[in-house]
Amino acid sequence: MEKVKKKVIFSGIQPSGCLTLGNYIGALKNWIKLQDEYNCCFSVVDLHSLTVRQDPKELRRRCMDFLVQYIACGLDPEKNLLFFQSHVSTHAELAWILNCYTYMGELSRMTQFKDKSAKHEDNINSGLFTYPVLMASDILLYQTDLVPVGSDQKQHLEIARDIALRFNHIYGETFTVPEGYIPEVGARIMSLQEPTKKMSKSDDNENAFIALLDSPDVIRRKVKRAVTDSDNEIRFAEGKDGINNLLSIYSSLSGKNMQQTEEHFADKGYGQLKEEVAEVVVESLRPIQEKYKQMMNDKDYVQQIYTASAEKALSISSRTLKKVYKKVGFVPKN
Ligand code: ATP
Ligand code: LTN
C-alpha cells in the first residue's frame, strides 16, 4: 500500500528574553499537540533575534536554553527536527532571493516593525524591516503546509503566503502556500501589568510576564499582582481585559472551554480566580521545569540533537533552494 506522506509544519521562536507563558500557550502547546501527525521542524530562530541588539555571551546561553526548553515542554527529538536557524545556511540564502520579490510597501505595513521601531528608536536597522522575508524563507524552504503561531504573527504569515504565490505565479509551482494554525483560546495572552498589550518576553517589566522557568512562588506573586478591574465580576466581556486574560490562561491550561471556565468561576471572587490561575500555571509548568533541569545536565545529548537535526534540515531545504536558483536563472554548480 502506498504510504501517505505526512504534511509539514515549521515554526520558530526568537531567542530574545526568556520563554513565556504567552509563547507556551500561543505556540509551543500546539507544536506538542501536532507533532505526531506532521513532519515538524522547530527552530530557535537566532538570526531573527539580531534585529534587536544582543549581548553575544548572553545570546549563546539563551539559544541553548531555548532548545532545551523545547524538549522539556514535550517536543520529541526522535520525531521532530530541532535546530538553530544559523546552523542551516539556506535560510539566509533564500531570504536574499525573496527580498527581491517583496515590496517596500508591503513591509512598511507590518505592525511588528512599527512597534519595534518605536521601542528601539536608536536602532531601526534594515534587518528589522526585512524580518518577515526571513520568516517567509524559514517557512517556504521546507514546503511547509502549516505554521502554528500566536495571532500576532497573522500579518507575517500573510506576507509569506503572498511571496509564495507571487513567486509561483512568475516561475510556476515552486513553493507550497502555507496556512496558519492559531489557537481558539490563548492566541494572544496579554501582559499581566498592562492587559491591553500582549505578553512579551522582551518586556522590561518582569511582572508583566510569566517565564516558563519561574519558580512557583514567583508565579503566585506575579498572578496575585496581575491588573484586573474594580467591578469584581468574573465573566469574559469587552473591556475586562485583565479578567479575560486570566480566564484565557485558565481555560487553555485546564482544558475547560471558556463557557465551562466561566461557570466554574461563577459566584467566586477575584482572589479565588487568581489563586486557581496561579495553581494551574504552577502545575502545568512543574513537569517542564523538572525535565529542563535533567536535560541541562546532559549537554552532549542536546548537542547531538541539534547537530543531527541541522544536517537533515540542510538537506531538505537545499532541495528547495536548488529549485529556486534554477528557476531564477543561475548557472547550476554541477
Ligand atoms: P519579543 O517580545 O521578543 O518580540 P515574543 O514574546 O513576542 O517576543 P516571539 O518570538 O515573537 O515572542 O513569538 C514566538 C511565538 O510565540 C509566536 O508564535 C508568537 O505568535 C507566540 N506568542 C508570543 N507572544 C504571545 C502571546 N502573548 N500570546 C500568544 N502567543 C504568543
Ligand atoms: N516571527 C516569529 C518567529 C518566527 C517564525 C518563523 C514563526 C521566525 N520564523 C517561521 C513561525 C515560522 C515571531 O514569533 N516573532
Side-chain angles (χ1 to χ4, degrees), residues 11-28 31 45 48-49 52 54 66 70 112 116 119 131 135 147-154 156 181-183 186-191 197-203 245:
S11 198
I13 303 182
Q14 42 175 349
S16 46
C18 45
L19 280 171
T20 69
L21 194 63
N23 299 134
Y24 180 69
I25 294 178
L28 275 157
W31 300 2
V45 288
H48 278 92
S49 69
V52 171
Q54 305 287 343
F66 268 50
Y70 281 10
Q112 184 173 301
K116 294 229 161 155
K119 195 170 165 197
Y131 175 113
M135 175 163 163
V147 187
V149 281
S151 63
D152 61 310
Q153 295 302 310
K154 265 190 199 160
H156 289 164
Y181 186 98
I182 295 170
R188 190 174 173 81
I189 298 298
M190 309 310 273
S191 153
K197 266 179 43 188
K198 83 162 188 164
M199 181 182 283
S200 164
K201 61 176 137 64
S202 42
D203 202 312
N245 195 33

Side-chain angles (χ1 to χ4, degrees), residues 42-84:
F42 297 118
S43 182
V44 175
V45 288
D46 46 5
L47 298 175
H48 278 92
S49 69
L50 279 196
T51 52
V52 171
R53 211 54 91 225
Q54 305 287 343
D55 171 61
K57 237 177 155 175
E58 183 54 26
L59 179 62
R60 199 169 297 120
R61 190 196 59 73
R62 218 186 289 129
C63 284
M64 276 298 285
D65 221 50
F66 268 50
L67 201 101
V68 173
Q69 285 180 70
Y70 281 10
I71 303 168
C73 281
L75 291 177
D76 184 344
E78 302 288 326
K79 289 186 193 148
N80 306 292
L81 298 187
L82 307 175
F83 61 92
F84 298 113

Side-chain angles (χ1 to χ4, degrees), residues 129-250:
F129 189 65
T130 58
Y131 175 113
V133 183
L134 180 58
M135 175 163 163
S137 308
D138 298 340
I139 297 169
L140 302 181
L141 272 173
Y142 299 89
Q143 306 294 346
T144 300
D145 298 285
L146 207 62
V147 187
V149 281
S151 63
D152 61 310
Q153 295 302 310
K154 265 190 199 160
Q155 234 188 355
H156 289 164
L157 269 177
E158 209 43 55
I159 212 170
R161 287 170 55 85
D162 289 344
I163 295 171
L165 287 165
R166 184 172 303 144
F167 198 96
N168 288 350
H169 183 70
I170 304 173
Y171 298 103
E173 267 325 287
T174 310
F175 298 121
T176 302
V177 181
E179 300 282 341
Y181 186 98
I182 295 170
E184 268 171 37
V185 176
R188 190 174 173 81
I189 298 298
M190 309 310 273
S191 153
L192 297 179
Q193 291 298 311
E194 285 175 81
T196 50
K197 266 179 43 188
K198 83 162 188 164
M199 181 182 283
S200 164
K201 61 176 137 64
S202 42
D203 202 312
D204 299 327
N205 181 356
E206 290 203 353
N207 286 322
F209 59 81
I210 293 175
L212 294 193
L213 299 178
D214 275 347
S215 70
D217 284 349
V218 170
I219 295 171
R220 290 189 187 105
R221 198 188 65 225
K222 287 182 177 177
V223 176
K224 205 167 191 177
R225 287 192 188 162
V227 170
T228 53
D229 53 50
S230 54
D231 75 4
N232 216 24
E233 222 181 290
I234 304 180
R235 62 195 164 86
F236 195 94
E238 218 185 308
K240 289 179 66 71
D241 304 292
I243 293 298
N244 294 348
N245 195 33
L246 294 177
L247 288 173
S248 301
I249 294 172
Y250 184 88

